[in-house]
């Protein structure tokens, strides 16, 4: 094959890949109910959409309740007068038959269509919301890694970006631990006395921010402390121990984030360097 032919084929292939990129097609839109930022991406596979979401500082959307489900569906399901299936961050690509959120949050809410997911562990690893004109609109189905559905409608990723909370109060602790409860903390045995009501975020050593958000607990610490392990206890008379959680790394902000969606009535956290 002549050299110029090879070059032409290469350029054609490159153009096709570029056209399939998961670029944003909507403006950043804030959901006033949770103050999270959402962006609709161009049609793409789930994996390309998740990669673009991470590059933008978030993940494909985590859905925690019916209100978030409805807002995403009504905002993006027929965006620009086009029926769309919406990729969300739920998949079992890492562990078959075990769906998890790409954000690392625990799964506390689902909205599968009847009989779904019907191909768990056999290739359909990614969840999307059905389009408005579908008989199961606003319900979820599991799909393979595709850019459109069988009738040609686009599969568009919905990015969710959670802005870091402002630090409203900062109290150093003698032991580097903090108690967080369902109610505003007032004191604990490690020296964080006098935390005032409504000033929930507290900075501890190493520099961790802990804040209660809609019944969940979010923890942030700098990437420079990536070698540390998060531990917890519900009673300071008992030792701190490791527990199940997933980390999300935001390189743009330089932080590691953990969200615990089912915290106990009282939990003490610390970062421990093994």
């Amino acid at each position: 094959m002549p050299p110029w032919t090879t070059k032409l084929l290469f350029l054609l292939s490159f153009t096709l890949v570029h056209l399939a990129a998961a670029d944003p097609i909507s403006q950043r839109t804030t959901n006033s109910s949770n103050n999270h930022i959402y962006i609709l991406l161009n049609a793409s596979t789930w994996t390309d959409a998740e990669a673009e979401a991470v590059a933008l500082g978030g993940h494909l959307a985590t859905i925690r309740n019916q209100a978030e489900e409805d807002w995403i569906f009504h905002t993006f399901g027929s965006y620009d007068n086009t029926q769309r299936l919406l990729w969300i961050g739920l998949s079992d690509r890492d562990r078959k038959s075990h769906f998890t959120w790409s954000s690392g949050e625990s799964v506390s809410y689902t909205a599968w269509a009847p009989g779904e997911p019907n191909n768990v562990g056999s290739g359909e690893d990614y969840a999307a919301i059905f389009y408005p004109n579908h008989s199961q609109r606003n319900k979820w189905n599991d799909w393979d890694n595709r850019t459109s559905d069988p009738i040609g409608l686009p599969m568009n990723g919905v990015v969710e970006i959670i802005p870091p909370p402002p630090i409203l109060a900062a109290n150093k602790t003698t032991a580097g631990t903090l108690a967080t409860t369902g109610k505003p903390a007032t004191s604990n045995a490690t020296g964080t006395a006098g935390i005032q009501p409504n000033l929930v975020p507290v900075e501890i050593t190493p520099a961790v921010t802990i804040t209660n958000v809609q019944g969940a607990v979010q923890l942030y610490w700098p990437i420079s402390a990536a070698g540390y392990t998060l531990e917890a206890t519900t009673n300071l008379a008992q030792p701190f121990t490791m527990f199940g959680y997933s980390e999300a790394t935001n390189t743009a902000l330089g932080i590691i984030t953990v969200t615990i969606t089912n915290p106990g009535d009282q939990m003490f956290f610390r970062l421990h360097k093994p």
Side-chain angles (χ1 to χ4, degrees):
M1 180 180 293
W4 63 267
T5 305
T6 303
K7 183 177 181 180
L8 177 62
L9 291 175
F10 171 78
L11 291 175
L12 178 60
S13 176
F14 176 83
T15 301
L16 291 174
V17 171
H18 176 73
L19 290 174
D23 300 317
I25 60 173
S26 77
Q27 299 294 321
R28 294 182 173 224
T29 304
T30 300
N31 181 346
S32 60
S33 296
N34 60 16
N35 291 320
H36 297 178
I37 299 167
Y38 295 83
I39 305 169
L40 184 68
L41 300 178
N42 200 359
S44 72
T45 63
W46 187 97
T47 52
D48 284 348
E50 172 63 15
E52 178 64 15
V54 172
L56 291 169
H59 289 280
L60 286 176
T62 296
I63 299 180
R64 304 163 189 84
N65 50 57
Q66 186 67 54
E68 290 187 355
E69 169 83 22
D70 292 342
W71 187 90
I72 290 173
F73 175 74
H74 291 300
T75 302
F76 299 116
S78 56
Y79 182 82
D80 200 23
N81 296 317
T82 299
Q83 296 283 303
R84 304 176 187 276
L85 294 93
L86 305 175
W87 286 128
I88 56 178
L90 198 67
S91 77
D92 70 342
R93 62 172 179 168
D94 297 326
R95 180 181 172 190
K96 299 303 182 186
S97 303
H98 180 71
F99 279 86
T100 57
W101 293 110
S102 57
S103 65
E105 295 187 33
S106 55
V107 179
S108 57
Y109 169 87
T110 58
W112 294 109
E116 305 297 343
N118 66 352
N119 197 13
V120 174
S122 301
E124 293 185 354
D125 297 334
Y126 310 101
I129 304 173
F130 277 122
Y131 51 93
N133 286 348
H134 194 277
S135 61
Q136 297 298 325
R137 59 186 174 276
N138 207 13
K139 296 296 184 181
W140 306 352
N141 184 46
D142 55 328
W143 298 89
D144 57 8
N145 205 26
R146 57 170 62 225
T147 60
S148 61
D149 81 335
I151 63 172
L153 295 181
M155 314 281 289
N156 299 86
V158 177
V159 179
E160 178 183 17
I161 301 171
I162 303 177
I167 298 178
L168 302 178
N171 291 274
K172 296 294 183 179
T173 71
T174 57
T177 59
L178 173 88
T180 179
T181 70
K183 300 178 181 179
T186 56
S187 66
N188 65 48
T190 62
T192 53
I195 302 174
Q196 300 179 14
N198 301 322
L199 298 182
V200 178
V202 176
E203 185 180 339
I204 66 176
T205 303
V208 178
T209 300
I210 302 177
T211 176
N212 294 336
V213 180
Q214 294 183 341
V217 173
Q218 292 181 336
L219 302 93
Y220 305 83
W221 61 88
I223 291 178
S224 59
Y228 284 75
T229 299
L230 184 65
E231 297 180 341
T233 183
T234 58
N235 185 343
L236 286 175
Q238 301 296 323
F240 283 83
T241 58
M242 295 179 59
F243 63 101
Y245 65 90
S246 298
E247 294 181 357
T249 301
N250 188 319
T251 54
L253 297 176
I255 60 173
I256 296 172
T257 305
V258 168
T259 299
I260 302 170
T261 57
N262 54 346
D265 293 336
Q266 175 174 278
M267 297 180 72
F268 295 82
F269 297 98
R270 76 174 184 183
L271 283 179
H272 175 67
K273 192 171 181 64

